[in-house]
């Protein structure tokens, strides 16, 4: 039983940063998804794929995984780089 822990990224469609400090523990899929013969929807028999647990910090998520014996790895958020430029730079 493996899981990954990551921080929720900022929504690209909005400028707000609500819920960006939240950490998520998400189980990795045990079996590949396959199309349903009748409807064609992708699905699998693995129900743990639907579970997403949220935590206030990375330490809390790691403590939960250790308490229940869940092997996990942390996916770090890449550092944010800002490209500062003035409107006048568009006309150079």
């Amino acid at each position: 039983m493996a899981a990954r822990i990551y921080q929720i990224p900022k929504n690209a469609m909005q400028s707000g940063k609500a819920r960006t400090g939240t950490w998520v523990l998400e189980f990795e899929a045990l079996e590949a998804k396959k199309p349903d013969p009748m409807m064609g929807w992708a699905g699998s028999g693995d129900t743990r794929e639907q579970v997403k647990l949220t935590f206030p910090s990375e330490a809390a998520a790691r403590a939960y995984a250790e308490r229940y014996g869940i092997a996990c790895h942390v996916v770090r958020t890449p550092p944010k780089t800002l490209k500062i430029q003035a409107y006048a730079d568009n006309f150079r």
Side-chain angles (χ1 to χ4, degrees):
M1 182 162 51
R4 66 184 182 115
I5 298 172
Y6 63 95
Q7 195 170 18
I8 295 177
K10 186 178 87 62
N11 186 350
M13 301 301 290
Q14 298 175 349
S15 62
K17 295 180 182 173
R19 296 181 49 209
T20 56
T22 306
W23 288 81
V24 176
L25 185 140
E26 183 177 65
F27 293 100
E28 295 178 354
L30 290 178
E31 62 183 58
K33 291 188 178 192
K34 52 187 178 270
D36 182 56
M38 183 175 202
M39 299 297 290
W41 296 340
S44 70
D46 184 19
T47 57
R48 292 182 318 136
E49 196 174 299
Q50 301 169 7
V51 177
K52 285 186 182 181
L53 303 173
T54 58
F55 298 93
S57 67
E58 176 190 352
R62 280 181 175 250
Y64 179 86
E66 289 176 9
R67 187 175 339 132
Y68 290 102
I70 300 169
C72 66
H73 64 279
V74 178
V75 178
R76 301 266 179 222
T77 307
K80 295 179 179 153
T81 57
L82 296 176
K83 183 179 175 186
I84 307 295
Q85 66 181 26
Y87 179 70
D89 293 342
N90 293 332
F91 302 102
R92 288 188 180 180

